[in-house]
Amino acid sequence: MATEAEIYPALTEIFHDVFMRDDIVLSADLTAKQVQGWDSFKQIEIIMASEEKWGIKFNTRELDSLRCVGDLAGMVATKTA
């Protein structure tokens, strides 16, 4: 099981790679509206990189329920349990 302490550093690396910026600081309540350039294409890249990193798959209903970074981290923790 991945813990939040393990998930956030890895998610930060994914976000830095996807956005090609090192100044993004993740928090549980961070949303797409708060990150310049976070559109549906970037969302797909984040999800695909997360699935690859942890060897998991998200279904459409799960993806539709994502509202913030904390939701994604929680879902990763649940799926790696």
Side-chain angles (χ1 to χ4, degrees):
M1 176 177 174
T3 64
E4 283 200 25
E6 297 164 336
I7 293 168
Y8 275 93
L11 276 180
T12 298
E13 189 174 306
I14 288 169
F15 273 71
H16 289 179
D17 288 348
V18 167
F19 290 97
M20 291 183 273
R21 294 172 36 201
D22 290 338
D23 64 333
I24 298 172
V25 179
L26 298 188
S27 64
D29 60 351
L30 185 71
T31 66
K33 290 179 182 175
Q34 296 168 291
V35 180
Q36 184 177 356
W38 187 346
D39 57 17
S40 58
F41 296 109
K42 295 294 187 191
Q43 179 80 3
I44 291 167
E45 287 185 57
I46 292 163
I47 295 304
M48 290 175 58
S50 297
E51 288 178 333
E52 185 177 327
K53 168 74 179 167
W54 285 285
I56 57 177
K57 285 284 180 203
F58 297 108
N59 65 41
T60 305
R61 189 172 68 239
E62 290 168 333
L63 295 177
D64 288 344
S65 74
L66 295 176
R67 298 288 171 250
C68 58
V69 171
D71 291 347
L72 177 58
M75 209 172 289
V76 169
T78 300
K79 287 189 165 285
T80 58

